[in-house]
Amino acid sequence: MRRKLAAGNWKMNGTAAALSELVELAGHLDPNDAETLICPPAPLLYRACEKTRGTSIAIGAQDCHMQTEGAFTGDVSASMIADTGASYVIVGHSERRDAHEETNGDIRKKARAAWAAGLTAIVCIGESGDDREADNTLDIIAGQLSGSVPDGATGDNTVIAYEPIWAIGTGKIPTLAQIIEVHDFIRARLIARFGDVEGNAIRLLYGGSVKPDNAAEIFTAENVDGALVGGASLKASDFAPIIKALSAS
Ligand code: 13P
């Protein structure tokens, strides 16, 4: 049984005032709920960990550098993230693949750096609108999976987030059949590469315009083990019903 995971990616949103949302969110949760994770901007990581101490909310970062230390002005290493108390890091988000020209090879190295620091890597993959229209979705996904996910991935050290780029922040979501097709495909590829045990243990998240009113349907898909939520994770009042829908699925 894979433990369900509701992950919120705050992106470049929030200052200290936003930490009150974590306290409010914790108040909505009970021990039977899905695992809940918030990934705030890096300057808030330590304070977010302090605020959520003793609650069921885990904290993660949105990116890490692939090296352990050195002359990389402005970057943050995986061990620095772990040192704040965080336990997860997102790598390879499409916004970083795009705006920072990150390659599959970079993302693979970042995932390894995350593991070395004891963090679980959430590796993001997803096709563009053009790829989808040209019917290239599964080829793109296969290439990103083999290129971005390092050898040695397990259910403990890796989560895969499928985020179609055209669905991020747009209010558009794939049909349930499209979500099922891609998640089943990812599951089959993971089993083929990592074997039955780990291939079945790695959790798969759907991301892209997940909202309180569409979450329950998305979570009916067998290989959707949770969600990576952007906009709707910023407010506890929006994220809590998504977590509840996941917990009930
Ligand atoms: P939205 O939920 O705002 O579409 O963002 C999805 C996302 O990119 C999460 O990483």
Side-chain angles (χ1 to χ4, degrees), residues 127-137 166 172 178:
E127 82 285 4
S128 68
D130 286 349
D131 296 328
R132 170 62 70 178
E133 268 167 38
D135 216 6
N136 285 336
T137 298
W166 53 273
K172 290 188 217 159
Q178 288 171 327

Side-chain angles (χ1 to χ4, degrees), residues 9 11 90 93-95 124 163 167-171 207-211 228-232:
N9 173 10
K11 308 191 179 184
I90 297 169
H93 192 282
S94 61
E95 287 153 14
C124 299
E163 300 203 301
I168 294 176
T170 59
S209 296
V210 177
K211 305 291 176 201
L228 183 54
V229 182

Side-chain angles (χ1 to χ4, degrees), residues 22-23 25-27 29 36 48-59:
L22 298 177
V23 178
L25 186 62
L29 302 180
T36 299
C49 290
E50 294 296 299
K51 271 273 190 239
T52 54
R53 191 187 296 276
T55 75
S56 58
I57 301 174
I59 298 298

Side-chain angles (χ1 to χ4, degrees), residues 77-115:
S77 73
S79 61
M80 292 170 184
I81 292 166
D83 189 48
T84 68
S87 47
Y88 284 83
V89 59
I90 297 169
V91 295
H93 192 282
S94 61
E95 287 153 14
R96 295 204 60 89
R97 289 179 186 263
D98 180 29
H100 298 266
E101 299 181 353
E102 291 187 7
T103 65
N104 285 328
D106 296 335
I107 293 155
R108 195 169 63 239
K109 289 181 193 149
K110 289 180 176 210
R112 278 209 201 92
W115 297 352

Side-chain angles (χ1 to χ4, degrees), residues 30-31 36 139 142 146 155 184 197 227 229 231:
D30 62 61
T36 299
D139 286 346
S146 57
D184 287 358
V197 173
V229 182

Side-chain angles (χ1 to χ4, degrees), residues 5 11-12 14 21 35-38 40 45 58 77 84 87 95 97 126 147 156 160 172-173 179 202 211 231 238 242:
L5 174 61
K11 308 191 179 184
M12 199 172 74
E21 294 296 330
E35 185 179 354
T36 299
L37 168 70
I38 294 284
L45 282 172
S77 73
T84 68
S87 47
E95 287 153 14
R97 289 179 186 263
D156 285 335
I160 309 284
K172 290 188 217 159
I173 59 165
I179 292 174
I202 295 172
K211 305 291 176 201
D238 290 330
I242 295 173

